Each structure stands twice: as C-alpha cells, then as structure tokens.
Amino acid sequence: MDIRKIVLLTVLFFVIKPLSAQEGITARQFFTYEKFLASDQLEGRFPGTDGNNKAAAYIKKQFKKSNLKPLNGSYFQQFKLSIKPNVNSIQSDTVETNNVIGYLEGSDPILKSEFIVIGAHYDHLGWGGKGTGSKKKDTFAIHNGADDNASGFSALLTIAKEMGKRKSTFKRSIVFVSFSGEEEGLEGSKYFTEHFPVADSSVKLMINMDMVGRLNAEKQIYMGGAGTFPGGEVLMKKLGVGSGLSPVVNAGSIGGSDHVSFYKKNISVIGLHTGGNPQYHTPEDDIELINKEGAALVCKYIYNTLLQIANYEQPLYFIKQD
Ligand SMILES: [Zn+2]
C-alpha cells in the first residue's frame, strides 16, 4: 500500500467513523417497515383510499416514536389531488391525501436554520390505476409496490429512527418527508415545494429514495444529481469506500422522481435507486423480491450521506446540471 492510500484511509477513518453509529440500521428493522407498507391490507396505497390514509397514520406514529417533531404544528400536509378515471373505487375526480413531515433540529446556532430534506413517496397504484410513465396494461389486482416505493419508505423510517437517537449531533436541521401522489405526476413533492413549511431559501439539499429494495449482485446503488452541490461527486464516491456497495455516481441524470420538484426550484438534489426491474408497476412487485440485506447497506450509505451533508464544512449551494 502506498503512502497516499494510508493517509487517505486514516483520514476516512477519523472523518467517517465517529459519525457512523448506525447500530440500529439492520435488515430486520428495514423489513419490519417494508412488511407493513407492502402488505395486501393497504391495497396498494392509492391516494384517497383507506390504505393510503393508514400508511400516512403509520408514518406519523413512527416519526413521533423516533423523536421527530412536527413542523408548524402538524405532521400532516394535506393537499387535493385530481385523479384520472381508474380501477380504484373512487367516485370523485378529486381526493384529499397527505404528505407526512417530521423534523430534527440541528445543533449549530447558525446552521440549524438551514434544512436538508430527505424523502420517499409512500403512495402506489392501488388496484392498478396506471401511474405516469407506465407502458404496462392495467391489471385488476393489488399492486403492493414493494420496491416502488415501500422500499424507499422503509429506508426513510429506518434512517429517521437512527438519526432520532443522535440528539442533534449534527449541525443543520433535517426534514423527513414521505410524499403522496407521486405516481400521479410527483404531485406531493410539487405541493411541498410550493408550500414549504420553512423559508424557501433555507432548503439547501434534497435526498430522494425511490426503489432502493432490489440491490443487484454487483451491489450498485445508482444516483443522479451528485454534481448539483459543491464536492458532491467526490463525497458520494468516498462514502462508497468500505460500504459494501458500488455507487454509480452521476453528476446530472436527475431522473424522474420527487427530487425533480426540488431541482426545478434550483435546490441541490441526490436521487437514489437500485435500478429498474421487470415487475415495475405490475402486481408482481412484491415483498419476496426485496433484498433486505442489500437494503440495509443502502440505508447505511444514505444515513452516512445525510450526516455528512448536515455537517458539511463548505457552504451548500445549487449547481445546475444539463
Ligand atoms: Zn416510485
């Protein structure tokens, strides 16, 4: 091993090691959340249905348990959503649904007024109400969306639980949000970015997780947007060292999930996923195909990302990508 490597590894040890407690980030914890959200009893979590409301209530309960506080007095941010005719038994063309929001205050007297948002949508297609971008024919069956996006939701709750134990040992404040209406065209995140519960300019970066439950044999975690903040590409590669993952880091390639709503508002973003699959938007996107051990590695990687960014030494600002 050459001297540069030794220096790099020593630096990484002291920089990253003290920050990564993460004992509670386990495949078991992840799977507890996953089993709830991907179960038939929620009937695919289509906005405006009981299953969707039950999921929102569950998120609120878990946020509270993990010491997250409500912003502006409520964990719920309700919004109206227009829906196209679909196979879910909804008569009206407008429904009410909720984004669920919780936050942890940062410890630095100045930097705590800056916010890092981490999010994952919890809604899905119900009994088959075709989401945007789906070329598949509707099939009348429960679409559990185990990967899309019970996996991102479970990662969000797992990370929130671990972060909630740290009692503000991070400088910037962190907002955790689970969006509804993603499958109808990123509606929940659009509403959120148009009605920020904090000052617009205080939102410095958004981390999104959509489909993170199917880590492949090459252990690839894909991401877009790493070039939208200073030092982002270097950081995201560096955090891959010793993580058990092979990060595929794109500076741009912003992609098509909720972080796009933030990017459009000139906010730095990182959008993470473990890749597409043939079961996407079909009733076969089920829990048996989830790689829970892989998901735990992904959770740890994202948890470390969040901590690094909440404590980032350099000022965070937006860098546009093509
Ligand atoms: Zn999704």
Side-chain angles (χ1 to χ4, degrees), residues 212-222 244-246 248 273-276 289 291 294-295 297-298:
V212 294
R214 301 277 295 266
L215 189 71
N216 62 20
E218 292 76 36
K219 315 261 195 248
Q220 286 162 314
I221 174 86
Y222 301 92
L245 298 173
S246 301
V248 180
H273 63 95
T274 50
L289 297 169
N291 175 354
L297 294 179
V298 169

Side-chain angles (χ1 to χ4, degrees), residues 43-290:
E43 296 185 63
R45 316 180 298 277
F46 195 82
T49 65
D50 255 16
N52 184 277
N53 293 334
K54 272 185 200 154
Y58 180 84
I59 302 163
K60 175 183 165 181
K61 193 172 105 190
Q62 298 304 328
F63 276 1
K64 259 186 159 170
K65 252 177 134 173
S66 299
N67 305 319
L68 273 58
K69 301 279 172 281
L71 262 175
N72 302 337
S74 177
Y75 289 98
F76 287 150
Q77 182 184 49
Q78 196 178 64
F79 64 98
K80 286 193 167 62
L81 179 68
S82 333
I83 48 171
K84 296 177 199 91
N86 65 78
V87 299
N88 294 286
S89 37
I90 293 173
Q91 305 308 322
S92 159
D93 53 5
T94 308
V95 296
E96 281 177 349
T97 185
N98 293 285
N99 293 326
V100 191
I101 307 164
Y103 103 109
L104 290 170
E105 189 175 59
S107 58
D108 186 276
I110 294 163
L111 288 177
K112 73 177 184 186
S113 58
E114 293 189 359
F115 293 84
I116 308 302
V117 178
I118 178 164
H121 77 87
Y122 70 91
D123 64 296
H124 195 52
L125 303 172
W127 281 75
K130 248 191 271 185
T132 50
S134 174
K135 292 178 190 75
K136 300 248 161 41
K137 274 213 162 128
D138 256 358
T139 312
F140 190 67
I142 297 177
H143 288 52
N144 281 324
D147 189 34
D148 185 10
N149 188 28
S151 66
F153 155 95
S154 304
L156 183 74
L157 293 188
T158 303
I159 293 165
K161 188 164 194 228
E162 196 62 15
M163 204 61 83
K165 293 179 196 164
R166 297 188 66 95
K167 305 224 183 301
S168 293
T169 50
F170 40 87
K171 292 177 181 168
R172 293 179 179 81
S173 297
I174 304 171
V175 176
F176 295 80
V177 51
S178 197
F179 303 107
S180 188
E182 192 274 348
E183 305 288 7
E184 274 53 60
L186 316 182
E187 294 297 331
S189 53
K190 248 184 231 168
Y191 189 87
F192 183 85
T193 56
E194 279 156 16
H195 303 85
F196 273 134
V198 295
D200 288 26
S201 62
S202 67
V203 181
K204 294 296 173 189
L205 188 140
M206 194 270 176
I207 300 170
N208 192 52
M209 301 168 288
D210 194 354
M211 299 172 65
V212 294
R214 301 277 295 266
L215 189 71
N216 62 20
E218 292 76 36
K219 315 261 195 248
Q220 286 162 314
I221 174 86
Y222 301 92
M223 75 204 77
T228 60
F229 64 102
E233 285 180 80
V234 174
L235 174 72
M236 298 315 290
K237 284 178 191 161
K238 193 177 82 175
L239 288 170
V241 178
S243 69
L245 298 173
S246 301
V248 180
V249 181
N250 294 299
S253 303
I254 306 303
S257 182
D258 289 308
H259 53 292
V260 173
S261 302
F262 291 76
Y263 184 74
K264 284 183 177 163
K265 299 261 173 195
N266 293 341
I267 294 168
S268 307
V269 294
I270 310 170
L272 297 118
H273 63 95
T274 50
N277 59 67
Q279 291 78 31
Y280 173 72
H281 284 190
T282 73
E284 286 77 48
D285 177 4
D286 251 322
I287 196 158
E288 294 76 25
L289 297 169
I290 295 296

